[in-house]
Amino acid sequence: MMPDNCVFCKIMAGEIPAKVVYEDEKVTAIEDINPQAPHHYLIFPRKHVRTTLDLSDADTEMVGHVFQVAGKLARDRGFADQGFRVVNNCNEGAGQSVWHIHFHLLGGRNFSWPPG
Ligand code: AMP
Ligand code: ZN
């Protein structure tokens, strides 16, 4: 079910504009509106799943697919070899602000560890 107030569901429905960089039957990827790296994309499923804690067996293939799409985008856009990061923030303490599960793909610069 698509919640009325979900920004990513609205983007997929064409109700909010976004720069779509990839889409298929399972996932959509867009440019982040507030990029934290030269390449910053958000990959999310077409199905509305609220957080990582709400994933079920039916979503297992989708999560693996997200990582394949991340690798494809990194290769196609030329930052795979330099190194990149795929991040999922779950719940407020980790910085989640959009309640439709998504995976940040960050690249184009070096990243420190541990993360902030
Ligand atoms: P998180 O804080 O992990 O939930 O990540 C949410 C991300 O969504 C943030 O990096 C925001 O900049 C990004 N974001 C929020 N609204 C939009 C939008 N309309 N288009 C693109 N990115 C967005
Ligand atoms: Zn949604």
Side-chain angles (χ1 to χ4, degrees), residues 49-56 88 90-91 96 101:
V49 176
R50 192 169 175 275
T51 78
T52 289
L53 295 168
D54 300 297
L55 288 167
S56 70
N88 166 249
C90 182
N91 278 343
Q96 185 170 2
I101 192 171

Side-chain angles (χ1 to χ4, degrees), residues 7-8 11 16-19 30-36 40 42 87-90 94-100 102 104:
V7 62
F8 292 166
I11 284 171
I16 293 177
K19 289 190 180 154
I30 63 170
E31 289 184 2
D32 197 294
I33 205 168
N34 182 23
Q36 302 301 313
H40 187 170
L42 302 169
V87 176
N88 166 249
N89 297 322
C90 182
Q96 185 170 2
S97 61
V98 175
W99 301 92
H100 179 133
H102 52 281
H104 297 255

Side-chain angles (χ1 to χ4, degrees), residues 66-100:
V66 163
F67 278 80
Q68 279 195 299
V69 169
K72 177 182 165 42
L73 280 168
R75 279 202 196 91
D76 289 352
R77 287 165 187 259
F79 59 91
D81 288 348
Q82 182 188 2
F84 58 91
R85 198 167 277 181
V86 180
V87 176
N88 166 249
N89 297 322
C90 182
N91 278 343
E92 270 129 355
Q96 185 170 2
S97 61
V98 175
W99 301 92
H100 179 133

Side-chain angles (χ1 to χ4, degrees), residues 25-27 45-49 51-66 101:
E25 71 287 356
K26 292 193 191 76
V27 301
R46 296 197 167 275
K47 176 184 170 187
H48 182 90
V49 176
T51 78
T52 289
L53 295 168
D54 300 297
L55 288 167
S56 70
D57 286 349
D59 305 312
T60 299
E61 195 181 328
M62 175 277 289
V63 175
H65 187 61
V66 163
I101 192 171

